[in-house]
Amino acid sequence: MPYYEKSEDWLHQSALLLQARPQTTRVTTSYFLRPAIRPSKAEKLAAKEARRAKESASKSTTTSKSTTKSTPAPAAPTTESTDATSTATQKPPRGHLVLKTFDPHSGVCLKYKTSKAAEVGRLIQMLGQLGRRMAALPVDEAKEASQAADVVMGEAAEEAKGEVSGTATPAGGTSTPAAGGAAGGGGQGKKKKKGKR
Amino acid sequence: MGHLTHDEFFSKLTELFDYRKNQDHGTINLVQKRLSYNTPSQSTETDLLTDLCPSTPLPVLIRATNAKGKDRRKEKVKLSTIIEPADLEAFYGRYADVCKKGMGALKPRDRTKRKKQSRKKKAPTAGGPGVGAGGSSMMAIP
């Protein structure tokens, strides 16, 4: 399954999936850590350093032509290579976060991936919203609609609500104007951002 | 392992995140789903409908693992807790705090661009204070 570009899209689709299959749907949040430089790359760097050091050492040995000086020369590249690897490890590891909504009965899998720390709070808030749906608590749709409308998807939300639950149509009707207004606000925000860039 | 209380769960979860902080690789999985263990699940149509809109709110199950496989069963950490519907908001508030603190390896907000821009704005004002200031204010109005 492809990843969603925007977290709001992911939230919306996950909410719909939960509405359809509340009993079996689960939301998984995976936090991955990877080393900043992969070992192969680090090794390559180290190898490069070692090679250079060897070349310089061989030059120095050819100029000096003394066996006593050549013995410490092989030791030098090894220390340099260890330095290189240590600098590689000093870089902090990179992390990324994958949110996945999965329903084993229908096989639907919705994913969202991010590596921004600033998004974590918002994403957990989204998990909370989904949690409310899981717990079958009443969901204040106007609030969610305003949040979901950062992406311009008011119309899509209308259609989806209409399709999924006929009983919820009055609530959907009331929430639509709010969604439209919020969508306008979202649009303005985007324009501002573009202007800044 | 039985289910933990919220306090225990959060303290262990922070431990889990702290353990990850000292390493340069690894995964933490957090799962949430409706608790449907003790509830009977027949596949008759009436039951399906009650599943879709149950009369009473149901608890939510939260699991956390360090994603160790079968071959490292001894190292595996499994945490789970149950949130009663009434505690949902309080739980997610704390959950967000723990996760924000724990997920330190994510990219921090990038402020370098803004700094460059502010420097650029400051530079002309330093060169010609009167004209530069007027220009910047003109720029700021639209």
Side-chain angles (χ1 to χ4, degrees):
Chain A
M1 273 287 189
Y3 288 92
Y4 282 97
E5 289 269 310
K6 288 172 181 166
S7 55
E8 285 84 4
D9 289 344
W10 174 84
L11 174 68
H12 179 66
Q13 298 297 331
S14 307
L16 292 179
L17 179 60
L18 262 177
Q19 214 167 19
R21 293 184 184 269
Q23 201 74 21
T24 50
T25 303
R26 63 172 183 249
V27 181
T28 310
T29 312
S30 300
Y31 171 61
F32 296 96
L33 268 179
R34 293 250 176 81
I37 294 178
R38 287 183 195 125
S40 59
K41 221 173 188 178
E43 280 167 18
K44 273 182 196 170
L45 274 174
K48 227 180 203 176
E49 289 283 317
R51 218 180 298 147
R52 276 181 195 170
K54 261 188 187 176
E55 281 173 7
S56 62
S58 63
K59 276 178 188 174
S60 66
T61 49
T62 48
T63 49
S64 63
K65 289 180 183 177
S66 63
T67 50
T68 51
K69 275 183 185 174
S70 67
T71 42
T78 53
T79 52
E80 277 186 14
S81 65
T82 50
D83 281 349
T85 50
S86 70
T87 49
T89 50
Q90 271 168 14
K91 256 190 180 179
R94 276 182 204 164
H96 65 272
L97 200 62
V98 174
L99 298 178
K100 186 171 86 172
T101 317
F102 179 58
D103 171 38
H105 277 206
S106 57
V108 179
C109 180
L110 312 166
K111 278 181 167 182
Y112 175 70
K113 182 176 172 182
T114 186
S115 61
K116 291 176 190 162
E119 273 188 290
V120 174
R122 203 163 7 120
L123 293 176
I124 302 285
Q125 198 190 354
M126 288 177 179
L127 288 183
Q129 287 176 15
L130 294 177
R132 276 186 81 82
R133 287 176 183 275
M134 281 177 188
L137 284 169
V139 184
D140 36 355
E141 295 199 351
K143 206 177 175 184
E144 281 197 13
S146 68
Q147 280 169 355
D150 286 340
V151 204
V152 187
M153 55 186 300
E155 289 166 273
E158 271 178 47
E159 287 171 9
K161 275 172 194 163
E163 281 173 12
V164 171
S165 58
T167 55
T169 39
T174 52
S175 72
T176 42
Q188 279 176 6
K190 273 180 189 171
K191 273 174 194 169
K192 274 180 187 172
K193 271 182 188 172
K194 274 178 190 170
K196 273 182 185 175
R197 277 171 197 171
Chain B
M1 206 162 91
H3 300 299
L4 305 168
T5 64
H6 291 186
D7 291 329
E8 283 172 345
F9 178 77
F10 281 123
S11 64
K12 296 228 171 164
L13 188 61
T14 44
E15 269 178 35
L16 201 63
F17 275 124
D18 285 342
Y19 178 69
R20 271 284 163 268
K21 265 182 197 169
N22 300 327
Q23 292 185 323
D24 63 342
H25 65 282
T27 310
I28 290 176
N29 283 340
L30 308 163
V31 182
Q32 64 177 32
K33 72 185 290 284
R34 176 183 284 183
L35 182 68
S36 57
Y37 181 62
N38 285 327
T39 51
S41 58
Q42 277 87 35
S43 57
T44 59
E45 264 188 36
T46 51
D47 272 347
L48 272 179
L49 287 176
T50 53
D51 265 4
L52 284 177
C53 25
S55 52
T56 54
L58 292 158
V60 176
L61 174 69
I62 302 265
R63 292 197 191 107
T65 71
N66 58 355
K68 292 286 180 203
K70 221 173 194 178
D71 49 338
R72 296 187 186 174
R73 193 44 65 78
K74 281 179 187 171
E75 296 170 46
K76 182 148 189 168
V77 180
K78 287 165 93 178
L79 312 171
S80 62
T81 188
I82 292 170
I83 324 171
E84 292 301 324
D87 309 333
L88 264 177
E89 294 202 358
F91 179 88
Y92 275 102
R94 291 179 67 186
Y95 196 47
D97 284 342
V98 170
C99 289
K100 271 187 218 166
K101 277 176 194 165
M103 297 174 183
L106 298 178
K107 233 188 288 174
R109 198 187 289 269
D110 189 22
R111 294 183 194 277
T112 49
K113 234 178 201 177
R114 277 188 210 165
K115 272 184 188 172
K116 272 180 192 170
Q117 278 187 348
S118 64
R119 271 179 206 163
K120 273 180 191 171
K121 275 183 187 174
K122 277 177 189 174
T125 54
V131 180
S136 69
S137 68
M138 286 294 279
M139 288 295 282
I141 287 162

